[in-house]
Amino acid sequence: MYSFLISFVISFIPFMLLGALAIEILMRHPDSSLHRLTTILIGALSFIFLSDFLTQALDYEFASWVNPRLTYDLTFIAITILTYYFAILSRIQLPFWLLHPFAGVPLTGIVMIHGWPDIFQLYLAKGQHWRMEIHNEIFDLMFVTITFYSLSFLLLIMFIGYRKLKSSRAYEREQQMMLTIIRGSAVASIWLVFFFALSQIFPEIPLVPVDSLPTYAAIILAYTLRLAMHKHNFLATAEQRYKLLFTLSSSGVALMNSRGIVTESNPAFRAITGISESEGDIDILSILPDTDKSGYLSVIEKAFRERAFPQQMQMEIMSRSGLRYMVEVNSDFLQIEGELHCYLLVRDITAQQRNEQQLLELAFTDSLTGLANRYQFNMKLQEAVERAHHTGTRVVVMQMDLDHFKWINDTMGHSAGDILLYNVADLIRQHTPFGSIVARTGGDEFALLAELESWQSEETAAEMANTILHAFAKQVVLGEKYYHVSCSIGVCLALRDGEDPETLLRNADIAMYAAKRLGRNQYHLFNDQLKSEAKRELLMQQGLETALLRNEFSLVYQPQVDSHTGIMFGVEALLRWHSAELGFVSPQDFVPVAEQNGTIRQIGEWVMQEAAEQAVRWLEEGYPEMQMSVNVSASQLSDPYFARKVEKVLMQTGLPAHLLCLEFTESAAIREEEQIMQICEEIVGMGVTLAVDDFGTGYSSMKTVTSFPFQFIKIDRSLIFDIDVNPRNVAVVRSVLALAEQLNMKVLAEGVESRQHVELLQQLGCYHIQGYYYGRPMKVHDLEAWMSTSPVSKSS
């Protein structure tokens, strides 16, 4: 009993402490790669203590089977992880082909222990007081060699990293942090070596198991890392700043002091100036043409006094090689370690200005790709159609659109997007028949015109489209990385699918969007079915113009329930359309059409008015207060008078402002952001609740939530429907809940369909539920009947 209690205190309690520490570090900044790696490292260290505890606590036969090999396996794994951790922390940027072999050396110890157990003898023996690890001299030599090698390599990495950080004043905090880790690592190393040697001299003492004492070096190391993170707040801020300055920006970024010296700059800025990182700081005067240098220091001094540089300032700079660039400079000021610095964002606009001049000269050519432009293409198409009428030739028209091109622009920058477009244009040009016309007709849109002989059919056009699609299998290099892009192609033939250029281009466009709907990266021939769908869309456009006058719209309401209390706290108003000509039309079909033709504003205002009136009627009839949620379109948010319209609805209906919740999506929020932000502030000032809808489906979720005055986050159903079987979606929902807690926001999960969904969401701390599990969207009288009979409503 005594041995179990001692093992519990010296081994199991440290295992629990390190496990809790690992979780704390991860939860502090779960998005930080260094925090995640620190968590893995400390987790591995904690399991070494668990292994020591099991060595003493388990039955001897089972313990001898599990240990002590498991302890050394975990030790070698922890040393390997520690090597990667220090390599990242030190910023020395070793190439992977060099880092992996050096970092993987400790793993050879695992191979030797398990591969040649007769040579590297290691087993568990019963002592007088404790179970002891017994190993031969060859094993000791192997372990000491690997440990000495690893410690030497780690100290070398840390020393090089410290010297590198010491060369820049901006990294003083990182220097202090690294010194803390070096000191703690040294103490941990001394502890490990000393007690390992002690365990060889005194294999057993009555008080404690000597074999467990070297393991306490792990606690010293773990709490050293914890101290460094807490005291210097490094692992989140330094990585974030590093990514901002040196990784994410395709524009030049520089940090300049009041003497005109650039102390930090990213690779894009150094590429413009032609000055390598090894040359150190950059004197801003050295990159200005001689005519601009006089008096420029006084301009800098004045700007620092007034903390103001002109924004979007255009100026000429000269690189070390003598090349001249026209750049656009934006700036701001910030304090770093008590000293004022100017943050410069420099964008090379030389090519842009050159292109603007070329556009005036090349009226028929796309300046970026060298292809025909829309004007020339339409002219050539008109001529080809006229020849088809007279000679009977067949004309192939293709519309091509790159798939997910916006992602490249948003992540790599527009300069990378231009490179991609240029490469795509060249690729299409190389894989089209001789004599065909290839044009760039829009941002990432291309068109093809080819004339066939009268005996050639649509199979020939299909082969042409297939040839282009196969050509897109080739990867494109952007920023030293390889990207695979694809396109969707719509194909039509004159005179079968149209007898004029406008009709042919429209039908090819319809076929192209059909290809996108079918999964992208394919072609689609225009046919009668597409023609019928286009006709239906036209009927929808016409029907939406008069649907409000005909009273064809109606609302249904879906309950929103607090699963913790069982109280229905609100409903969401959902729009339905029953057209006289088309019958029932799904919102997924008609809402995009309404947004396109502009009728969505009038429809959205009607929905808000109708929903508010219904909410007031329920209050008058004695129902408990329920928040009424109404969806708002991007078009409504771009209306500068939208806030006044909301106020008018509240005044006309008498609905208390806190009972109205307006929902809009992330994609709506990022359009005309400044104006929309002002509108949102006015709405929140009235007391109306704002919610971000379909959260998790947009590309700017974090920016949207932190910038706009939301009180509610609605997690999109796509993250909920398989949450009981998809651990990744569980992780995403947990992150959203943590974010909402930090921002003092509420969270509602949409699309909840089963009891398993509800229970899992409750475990995660999400209690606001909307979905089929509690109720489908219902008409007013059905919802009232549901509230009178449902267990949920009774609990309210």
Side-chain angles (χ1 to χ4, degrees):
M1 186 63 180
Y2 172 81
S3 62
F4 179 84
L5 290 176
I6 294 298
S7 299
F8 184 89
V9 171
I10 70 172
S11 296
F12 190 80
I13 291 179
F15 159 70
M16 296 294 292
L17 290 175
L18 289 184
L21 180 61
I23 295 173
E24 177 204 346
I25 291 173
L26 178 64
M27 296 306 294
R28 181 182 294 271
H29 291 290
D31 294 331
S32 168
S33 59
L34 278 176
H35 273 253
R36 293 194 296 268
L37 190 59
T38 306
T39 298
I40 296 173
L41 171 61
I42 297 179
L45 296 176
S46 70
F47 277 98
I48 296 175
F49 281 98
L50 179 61
S51 176
D52 284 349
F53 171 74
L54 295 177
T55 299
Q56 304 296 335
L58 292 178
D59 180 76
Y60 175 78
E61 285 73 21
F62 188 76
S64 62
W65 179 70
V66 174
N67 293 298
R69 289 182 175 84
L70 179 59
T71 301
Y72 284 96
D73 290 348
L74 290 170
T75 301
F76 291 136
I77 291 172
I79 293 174
T80 300
I81 296 172
L82 192 63
T83 305
Y84 283 106
Y85 176 86
F86 278 18
I88 295 173
L89 199 65
S90 63
R91 299 182 182 273
I92 61 176
Q93 298 180 345
L94 288 174
F96 283 140
W97 62 266
L98 182 61
L99 176 61
H100 290 331
F102 278 98
V105 167
L107 297 179
T108 60
I110 300 176
V111 177
M112 287 186 282
I113 291 174
H114 295 278
W116 296 278
D118 295 331
I119 298 176
F120 302 93
Q121 294 179 8
L122 176 66
Y123 57 92
L124 195 66
K126 294 180 179 179
Q128 183 178 358
H129 304 284
W130 309 96
R131 296 168 185 172
M132 301 177 296
E133 299 172 4
I134 304 298
H135 30 77
N136 60 6
E137 293 180 358
I138 298 178
F139 180 92
D140 293 341
L141 179 61
M142 178 269 293
F143 180 78
V144 170
T145 301
I146 291 178
T147 303
F148 180 79
Y149 162 85
S150 301
L151 291 175
S152 301
F153 186 64
L154 291 177
L155 290 174
L156 177 63
I157 290 176
M158 293 297 287
F159 178 76
I160 295 174
Y162 177 75
R163 290 290 301 272
K164 182 177 180 180
L165 293 178
K166 195 174 182 181
S167 64
S168 175
R169 290 183 59 191
Y171 291 104
E172 289 181 1
R173 180 183 297 168
E174 286 87 334
Q175 295 171 28
Q176 295 300 320
M177 178 280 310
M178 196 164 288
L179 280 176
T180 300
I181 294 180
I182 289 175
R183 294 188 185 108
S185 300
V187 173
S189 302
I190 294 171
W191 179 286
L192 176 65
V193 173
F194 176 81
F195 281 99
F196 181 82
L198 184 66
S199 67
Q200 309 308 305
I201 300 171
F202 302 100
E204 185 182 28
I205 60 176
L207 295 178
V208 293
V210 181
D211 290 337
S212 298
L213 295 180
T215 313
Y216 273 72
I219 292 183
I220 298 173
L221 179 61
Y223 277 89
T224 297
L225 298 177
R226 170 67 175 80
L227 174 64
M229 284 185 289
H230 180 74
K231 183 176 181 180
H232 304 291
N233 193 26
F234 168 75
L235 289 181
T237 58
E239 182 179 27
Q240 184 180 16
R241 184 173 63 203
Y242 177 80
K243 286 183 178 179
L244 175 65
L245 294 177
F246 297 94
T247 307
L248 299 182
S249 179
S250 60
S251 299
V253 179
L255 203 63
M256 181 180 70
N257 62 25
S258 58
R259 299 179 300 281
I261 303 300
V262 173
T263 57
E264 280 194 58
S265 59
N266 71 340
F269 184 84
R270 290 190 175 270
I272 295 175
T273 61
I275 300 174
S276 65
E277 186 175 0
S278 62
E279 297 181 65
D281 296 343
I282 301 173
D283 187 347
I284 204 72
L285 297 181
S286 67
I287 63 173
L288 295 177
D290 293 338
T291 55
D292 294 339
K293 291 182 179 180
S294 59
Y296 198 76
L297 273 178
S298 61
V299 174
I300 294 178
E301 293 172 358
K302 180 181 178 183
F304 269 79
R305 284 196 306 270
E306 300 177 356
R307 294 198 177 193
F309 263 122
Q311 297 301 307
Q312 296 183 338
M313 177 176 59
Q314 294 185 4
M315 59 185 298
E316 189 179 53
I317 64 173
M318 185 171 62
S319 71
R320 176 69 58 82
S321 60
L323 295 176
R324 292 175 180 261
Y325 296 92
M326 184 62 67
V327 296
E328 180 184 86
V329 182
N330 287 280
S331 60
D332 201 354
F333 290 85
L334 67 162
Q335 291 277 351
I336 298 180
E337 303 296 337
E339 182 179 352
L340 185 63
H341 286 73
C342 183
Y343 179 87
L344 302 174
L345 184 64
V346 181
R347 186 168 66 92
D348 180 8
I349 60 172
T350 308
Q352 174 184 322
Q353 289 196 342
R354 187 186 306 121
N355 289 340
E356 289 174 355
Q357 295 173 358
Q358 290 176 347
L359 282 174
L360 298 176
E361 303 170 0
L362 306 174
F364 296 100
T365 307
D366 177 62
S367 59
L368 175 64
T369 62
L371 300 176
N373 62 9
R374 181 186 293 273
Y375 180 79
Q376 182 186 173
F377 186 84
N378 289 343
M379 185 175 63
K380 295 291 186 181
L381 179 56
Q382 179 66 48
E383 295 172 357
V385 171
E386 291 176 359
R387 281 194 296 272
H389 277 289
H390 291 92
T391 63
T393 57
R394 309 196 74 174
V395 179
V396 177
V397 179
M398 295 187 190
Q399 289 274 47
M400 293 170 275
D401 187 83
L402 300 186
D403 300 328
H404 307 300
F405 175 73
K406 191 175 187 299
W407 181 86
I408 296 289
N409 266 346
D410 291 340
T411 56
M412 297 289 294
H414 288 279
S415 59
D418 288 346
I419 296 173
L420 174 65
L421 291 173
Y422 182 84
N423 290 334
V424 166
D426 190 54
L427 181 147
I428 297 174
R429 190 162 35 205
Q430 292 178 19
H431 294 84
T432 51
F434 177 78
S436 57
I437 304 296
V438 181
R440 180 185 174 213
T441 56
D444 61 336
E445 299 172 358
F446 297 85
L448 171 68
L449 165 64
E451 295 186 63
L452 307 178
E453 298 296 333
S454 58
W455 53 269
Q456 292 177 303
S457 63
E458 67 178 25
E459 284 76 13
T460 305
E463 290 176 5
M464 293 167 54
N466 260 325
T467 300
I468 295 172
L469 288 175
H470 289 155
F472 271 86
K474 181 181 178 181
Q475 291 181 318
V476 177
V477 180
L478 291 177
E480 298 182 355
K481 293 184 179 180
Y482 289 89
Y483 291 88
H484 176 264
V485 293
S486 62
C487 76
S488 301
I489 304 176
V491 185
C492 70
L493 286 85
L495 305 166
R496 185 192 71 178
D497 301 325
E499 298 186 359
D500 61 86
E502 183 179 354
T503 303
L504 289 169
L505 289 172
R506 183 176 66 247
N507 291 342
D509 207 49
I510 291 171
M512 180 194 70
Y513 280 106
K516 283 188 177 292
R517 288 195 298 271
L518 291 174
R520 306 175 190 267
N521 193 26
Q522 57 186 292
Y523 73 90
H524 201 293
L525 293 168
F526 184 79
N527 54 36
D528 291 338
Q529 181 182 354
L530 292 181
K531 188 175 182 179
S532 175
E533 291 175 357
K535 183 179 179 181
R536 175 179 170 81
E537 182 173 333
L538 180 60
L539 288 175
M540 275 196 288
Q541 290 180 359
Q542 296 171 345
L544 287 169
E545 300 285 349
T546 58
L548 280 174
L549 297 175
R550 296 180 179 182
N551 293 320
E552 293 178 348
F553 289 119
S554 62
L555 294 182
V556 293
Y557 302 88
Q558 187 171 28
Q560 298 171 334
V561 178
D562 186 334
S563 63
H564 186 66
T565 62
I567 296 175
M568 188 179 81
F569 65 90
V571 294
E572 181 179 6
L574 300 170
L575 181 62
R576 297 293 182 263
W577 180 30
H578 194 281
S579 168
E581 292 82 14
L582 300 171
F584 175 78
V585 186
S586 169
Q588 292 182 343
D589 294 331
F590 74 80
V591 168
V593 177
E595 289 179 340
Q596 186 177 7
N597 68 6
T599 58
I600 193 67
R601 285 194 182 184
Q602 293 79 17
I603 296 172
E605 292 168 14
W606 177 86
V607 170
M608 185 163 49
Q609 181 77 27
E610 184 74 12
E613 290 176 357
Q614 180 58 53
V616 171
R617 282 195 291 270
W618 277 329
L619 288 175
E620 293 173 347
E621 292 170 7
Y623 286 95
E625 285 191 349
M626 293 181 293
Q627 189 175 67
M628 177 65 70
S629 295
V630 177
N631 289 287
V632 176
S633 70
S635 178
Q636 287 176 273
L637 285 173
S638 63
D639 180 1
Y641 301 103
F642 180 68
R644 298 181 186 177
K645 293 178 180 179
V646 174
E647 185 178 22
K648 182 180 178 182
V649 168
L650 295 175
M651 293 178 62
Q652 288 180 343
T653 61
L655 178 67
H658 70 278
L659 295 183
L660 178 62
C661 176
L662 300 181
E663 303 177 3
F664 59 90
T665 62
E666 304 158 281
S667 59
I670 63 174
R671 294 167 53 176
E672 303 174 18
E673 183 175 322
E674 185 172 340
Q675 174 183 312
I676 292 176
M677 178 70 75
Q678 182 178 352
I679 291 173
C680 290
E681 295 289 354
E682 292 179 27
I683 293 173
V684 170
M686 301 174 195
V688 176
T689 300
L690 284 185
V692 56
D693 196 14
D694 299 339
F695 186 80
T697 60
Y699 68 91
S700 61
S701 305
M702 191 66 67
K703 178 179 183 297
T704 304
V705 171
T706 56
S707 300
F708 286 77
F710 292 117
Q711 296 102 321
F712 240 109
I713 295 177
K714 297 189 72 174
I715 303 178
D716 185 72
R717 64 184 68 249
S718 63
L719 297 174
I720 301 299
F721 81 98
D722 64 345
I723 194 173
D724 51 340
V725 296
N726 190 339
R728 292 192 174 188
N729 281 358
V730 173
V732 172
V733 172
R734 182 181 290 112
S735 298
V736 173
L737 291 168
L739 171 66
E741 182 179 359
Q742 293 293 323
L743 298 177
N744 195 26
M745 298 169 62
K746 298 179 181 178
V747 178
L748 183 144
E750 296 182 296
V752 178
E753 298 184 357
S754 66
R755 183 64 192 172
Q756 290 85 351
H757 288 171
V758 175
E759 292 174 351
L760 182 54
L761 288 167
Q762 286 178 331
Q763 293 173 13
L764 295 173
C766 180
Y767 301 104
H768 292 170
I769 303 297
Q770 180 179 339
Y772 287 179
Y773 178 75
Y774 284 114
R776 294 173 176 267
M778 293 173 270
K779 295 181 180 180
V780 172
H781 62 275
D782 293 330
L783 180 61
E784 292 173 350
W786 179 87
M787 287 190 289
S788 65
T789 59
S790 171
V792 171
S793 63
K794 289 178 182 178
S795 65
S796 64

